[in-house]
Amino acid sequence: MDTMTAWQVDRPGPVATHPLRRVTLPVPRPSAGEVLVRVHTCAVCRTDLHLAEGDLPPRRRGTVPGHEIVGTVEALGADVTDPPVGTRVGVAWLRRTDGTCRYCRRGAENLCPDSKYTGWDADGGYAEYCVAPAAYVYRLPAAYSDEEVAPLLCAGIIGFRALRRAGLPPGGRLGVYGFGGSAHLAAQVALAEGATVHVVTRSAAARELALSLGAASASDTAPPEPLDSAILFAPVGTLVPPALAALDRGGTLAIAGIHLTDIPPLNYAEHLFQERKLASVTANTRADGREFLDIAARHRLRVTTTGYALADADRALADLAEDRFAGAAVLHCTP
Ligand SMILES: [Zn+2]
Ligand SMILES: [Zn+2]
């Protein structure tokens, strides 16, 4: 095994122009501090779509996308002893940080200006193999299949960080605006921790899913009671004022997305006074990832997925662009 099948972002552009190209590449070799991972599955994230379509500018030519990677450690680079060969691991978006800046030193490595990202700064998991820094891969809860656990690595971890940024008090009332892959996982964590969850989404199917998971209400307009915390998952800035207005005194609204359309003007009395807070969410720390995967090991989360062959990665991306499947698309890369 010297070569492998992979997909590269060839020419970023609308998904209809086929920005991904299927190629044969040499199997990468792990450098010092890295592991070689045989990729079993890789979930397809909306960020992959942003990269393929050029909304996020490429950081290098011909990068292999994919940052929700599940695989087995096949070989170790110099200086690596852990995780050992044969371990099932996850490779996620945060690839490495400098470990020395003021943010890293205070435990906020998600804010590191020198951070690198899987599938953007380095080749990711739309491939049969990838390499990753050993210190940044995750051990995975055994109860989940390779297909189920893949979306936990971005949708799950980011949703979890958003939940923590929203500062939900024990037994509190949480509003969830938008109910896609990330939201439905964060909502399940909140429910497992005893929260009352109110979901606001235009999608009737998503409202049905929310209620089946245990949400107290699901509406296409507004929650039925004041909220201690809310998370905005929909990338829609016009939802910020009504979500702030729905907060109780002292409540927090966290915005989970990497993109948001413009926020209309706020009215201080209506939207912020009474110590309401507005927070953004930027990537995650490894501690977030480990804490979330520990919770997922203790509380079996329901993960909705649709499987695709690696050969159909471009179709999976096109289907994501058109919302043609339920849950997360997951590529099956090697047996
Ligand atoms: Zn740093
Ligand atoms: Zn992602």
Side-chain angles (χ1 to χ4, degrees), residues 45-48 67-68 93 154-155 158:
C45 177
R46 196 160 286 275
T47 300
D48 304 342
H67 57 267
E68 302 181 88
W93 177 236
C154 183
I158 299 289

Side-chain angles (χ1 to χ4, degrees), residues 167-299:
L168 184 66
R173 301 154 295 174
L174 174 71
V176 176
Y177 291 77
F179 205 69
S182 199
H184 92 294
L185 294 170
Q188 289 180 70
V189 172
L191 287 163
E193 293 181 336
T196 298
V197 175
H198 298 293
V199 171
V200 180
T201 172
R202 281 185 315 190
S203 156
R207 290 198 297 274
E208 209 168 289
L209 174 63
L211 294 173
S212 79
L213 291 171
S217 78
S219 154
D220 59 354
T221 51
E225 61 175 336
L227 305 168
D228 299 300
S229 302
I231 309 172
L232 177 58
F233 285 101
V236 181
T238 51
L239 288 175
V240 169
L244 284 168
L247 291 176
D248 203 350
R249 296 174 174 220
T252 300
L253 170 65
I255 297 172
I258 192 168
H259 282 296
L260 188 73
T261 57
D262 284 348
I263 302 173
L266 299 178
N267 177 274
Y268 186 58
E270 200 184 334
H271 301 125
L272 282 173
F273 194 57
Q274 305 293 358
E275 304 206 338
R276 284 168 290 178
K277 297 176 282 293
L278 181 57
S280 67
V281 180
T282 299
N284 65 276
T285 65
R286 281 172 285 174
D288 294 324
R290 287 190 287 259
E291 190 183 348
F292 169 69
L293 291 167
D294 281 349
I295 290 170
R298 288 199 304 277
H299 302 284

Side-chain angles (χ1 to χ4, degrees), residues 97-105 109 112-114:
T97 56
D98 59 16
T100 56
C101 72
R102 66 170 68 222
Y103 310 101
C104 285
R105 288 202 312 267
E109 65 184 1
C112 179
D114 257 336

